[in-house]
């Protein structure tokens, strides 16, 4: 019984860390993967570096975006925000 009382604070710390750090991070990763897979040609997007453009081609892990200065090939994970849905919600 005494040993259980000694390890109880450590167990509580682990449980708290799981619910406040690990679990939210896993949810965020899952949402990002769903977002990346839901991209389609014609979507207006913003990359994590701040470039604005429109999706012109999609590959398994990459995307080609059209900007005012030309076309750029990037990783899907570099896309931060999809503007088409956000613009349609406001209208």
């Amino acid at each position: 019984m005494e040993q259980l009382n000694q390890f109880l604070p450590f167990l509580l710390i682990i449980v708290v860390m799981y619910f406040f750090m690990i679990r939210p991070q896993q949810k965020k990763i899952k949402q990002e993967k769903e977002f990346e897979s839901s991209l389609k040609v014609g979507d207006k997007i913003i990359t994590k570096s701040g470039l604005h453009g429109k999706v012109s081609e999609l590959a398994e892990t990459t995307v080609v975006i059209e900007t005012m200065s030309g076309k750029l090939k990037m990783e899907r994970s570099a896309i931060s925000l999809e503007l088409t849905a956000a613009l349609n919600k406001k209208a």
Side-chain angles (χ1 to χ4, degrees):
M1 189 69 177
E2 183 66 32
Q3 288 179 342
L4 180 65
N5 288 337
Q6 284 180 329
F7 289 111
L8 192 61
F10 294 114
L11 291 174
L12 287 174
I13 289 172
I14 291 171
V15 169
V16 168
M17 282 180 58
Y18 175 77
F19 281 105
F20 285 108
M21 295 176 73
I22 298 170
R23 193 162 180 245
Q25 187 66 25
Q26 289 174 340
K27 281 185 172 182
K28 184 178 178 183
I29 290 170
K30 183 180 176 184
Q31 286 176 337
E32 286 179 1
K33 287 193 182 292
E34 288 174 2
F35 168 72
E36 289 173 17
S37 65
S38 70
L39 286 173
K40 54 189 177 298
V41 174
D43 285 347
K44 293 181 181 175
I45 53 107
I46 299 176
T47 65
K48 290 182 180 176
S49 61
L51 293 171
H52 290 242
K54 189 163 99 174
V55 176
S56 64
E57 295 176 34
L58 290 170
E60 190 173 322
T61 60
T62 60
V63 61
V64 176
I65 63 169
E66 236 178 272
T67 64
M68 292 177 69
S69 61
K71 292 185 177 184
L72 300 169
K73 185 174 187 176
M74 309 183 105
E75 292 292 317
R76 282 186 181 224
S77 61
I79 297 173
S80 171
L81 179 67
E82 192 265 317
L83 288 175
T84 307
L87 292 173
N88 288 340
K89 284 182 184 177
K90 288 181 184 178

